[in-house]
Each structure stands twice: as C-alpha cells, then as structure tokens.
Amino acid sequence: MNGKIELPKMATIKECAELSGLAKYAVRRLVLENKIKFIKLGKKYLVNFDNLVEYLNNGEAHTSTEAENSNKIRKVGE
C-alpha cells in the first residue's frame, strides 16, 4: 500500500440529480429504499455518487463483500 486513502465522491440528492440527469424524487427514492449507499447528516442525505453511477449502469449496486457473503451458508437460529 502506498498510504493513499481513496474517498468516495459524496453529493446531496439535489447535486446527484443534476449530475446524473435524474429527477430529485428518483434519487431520494433510491436512498429511502436503500438501493444506493448514503449517510444522513441532520436533515440532509449525502449520497455516494460512485455507487449511484454503478447502480444506474448495472441495475443493482453490490460491494465485493456482499457478493462474497451471498455464496456462504449461514446458520439460522437454534
């Protein structure tokens, strides 16, 4: 590792709508349905714009750990 930290591009719902060409309500719906990654700061939502682009290109945004965990057998309640 070279010591560099790569931070995701975060943007408000309004900024994501403007950058992607989507309506604000469409981006807000993706956030509220947990389809894309976001954080909530007070009343504002900051959306991971890279994750939004991935979702728009592929239909579903999956991280590598989610893909790895989906193939494992889980023990369910005893």
Side-chain angles (χ1 to χ4, degrees), residues 6-57:
E6 189 174 323
L7 298 174
K9 180 178 180 180
M10 302 299 282
T12 64
I13 289 176
K14 181 179 177 183
E15 292 168 340
C16 284
E18 291 170 357
L19 291 170
S20 66
L22 295 173
K24 287 189 296 187
Y25 76 87
V27 177
R28 186 177 298 111
R29 188 183 76 234
L30 292 173
V31 166
L32 295 176
E33 293 175 355
N34 289 316
K35 301 264 184 174
I36 55 177
K37 294 179 183 176
F38 67 92
I39 57 172
K40 188 172 180 182
L41 295 174
K43 294 182 180 181
K44 297 240 182 214
Y45 291 95
L46 287 181
V47 177
N48 182 324
F49 186 73
D50 299 329
N51 189 248
L52 173 62
V53 170
E54 180 183 342
Y55 180 85
L56 295 174
N57 287 330

Side-chain angles (χ1 to χ4, degrees), residues 47-75:
V47 177
N48 182 324
F49 186 73
D50 299 329
N51 189 248
L52 173 62
V53 170
E54 180 183 342
Y55 180 85
L56 295 174
N57 287 330
N58 301 326
E60 290 291 328
H62 293 289
T63 63
S64 58
T65 55
E66 289 173 348
E68 291 169 5
N69 290 337
S70 65
N71 295 331
K72 294 182 181 177
I73 298 174
R74 297 179 300 165
K75 187 175 182 179

